């Protein structure tokens, strides 16, 4: 059985106990081993750093930690499916998932949970990832990002005629 821990900022006047999504923000999960860089595969990430991102800002929401991680050998254990399901369940509510790699079975489960997986070829700082998302939101977002923005409720859905 996979153990999942959620770590967030302590509740006070500024931060609620439950991580409510900022209005119009994309909820983004980043696979990490150290909370500093996007540097992990989906199955081997010890942590997922979760942020709410808008065109102007990003705010830390929580870190989701896992005790049971893959060894990145590419070989699946017989109980691997349970580990995948636990990870997908823990990330529900996110719109985007950034990781170094993700296998086809995991990607299919992530997509069915309405989370868009994005593979990044090399490790990079979490701040660089967040900055790139903010820049894309301010300029001309690619189609996959426009779809995520609409699902997050950040813009009104447009008909095809509105885009012509």
């Amino acid at each position: 059985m996979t153990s999942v821990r959620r770590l967030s900022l302590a509740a006070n006047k500024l931060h609620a106990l439950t991580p409510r999504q900022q209005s119009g923000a994309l909820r983004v999960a980043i696979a990490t081993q150290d909370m500093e860089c996007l540097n992990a595969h989906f199955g081997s990430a010890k942590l997922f750093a979760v942020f709410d991102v808008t065109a102007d800002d990003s705010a830390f929401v929580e870190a989701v930690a896992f005790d049971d991680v893959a060894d990145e050998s590419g070989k699946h254990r017989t109980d691997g499916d349970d580990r995948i399901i636990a990870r997908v369940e823990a990330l529900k509510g996110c719109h985007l998932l950034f990781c170094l790699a993700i296998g086809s079975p995991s990607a299919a489960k992530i997509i069915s949970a309405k989370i868009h997986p994005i593979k990044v070829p090399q490790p990079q700082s979490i701040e660089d990832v967040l900055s790139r998302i903010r820049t894309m939101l301010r300029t001309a977002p690619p189609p996959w990002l426009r779809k995520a923005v609409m699902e997050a409720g950040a813009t009104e859905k447009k008909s095809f005629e509105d885009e012509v």
Side-chain angles (χ1 to χ4, degrees), residues 126-147:
I126 288 175
E127 186 49 47
D128 285 348
V129 174
L130 298 173
S131 176
R132 193 172 94 210
I133 296 167
R134 288 190 304 266
T135 299
M136 284 190 290
L137 288 170
R138 278 193 305 272
T139 57
W144 60 265
L145 186 56
R146 283 196 309 254
K147 181 180 177 188

Side-chain angles (χ1 to χ4, degrees), residues 21-28 52-57 93-98 114-116 118 130 132-158 163:
Q21 186 169 342
Q22 183 181 344
S23 177
L26 287 175
R27 179 127 320 160
V28 177
D52 281 346
V53 183
T54 64
D56 302 316
D57 196 21
C94 291
H95 301 100
L96 303 175
L97 164 67
F98 285 82
K114 300 189 187 283
I115 303 169
H116 185 85
I118 298 132
L130 298 173
R132 193 172 94 210
I133 296 167
R134 288 190 304 266
T135 299
M136 284 190 290
L137 288 170
R138 278 193 305 272
T139 57
W144 60 265
L145 186 56
R146 283 196 309 254
K147 181 180 177 188
V149 167
M150 284 191 297
E151 288 174 2
T155 62
E156 293 180 17
K157 291 186 178 182
K158 296 180 181 179
E163 295 182 13

Side-chain angles (χ1 to χ4, degrees), residues 3-73:
S3 174
V4 178
R5 292 182 315 280
R6 293 183 176 275
L7 312 164
S8 59
L9 299 174
N12 60 27
K13 291 178 184 176
L14 297 175
H15 303 286
L17 278 176
T18 56
R20 285 190 337 190
Q21 186 169 342
Q22 183 181 344
S23 177
L26 287 175
R27 179 127 320 160
V28 177
I30 300 173
T32 182
Q33 305 295 21
D34 58 13
M35 291 299 292
E36 293 179 14
C37 294
L38 183 170
N39 58 3
H41 295 208
F42 175 73
S44 66
K46 294 177 187 171
L47 300 159
F48 288 92
V50 180
F51 293 85
D52 281 346
V53 183
T54 64
D56 302 316
D57 196 21
S58 55
F60 175 76
V61 174
E62 65 181 342
V64 182
F66 295 90
D67 291 333
D68 187 19
V69 297
D71 62 7
E72 295 186 13
S73 68

Side-chain angles (χ1 to χ4, degrees), residues 94-111:
C94 291
H95 301 100
L96 303 175
L97 164 67
F98 285 82
C99 56
L100 290 180
I102 186 169
S104 297
S106 297
K109 286 178 175 65
I110 284 289
I111 291 167

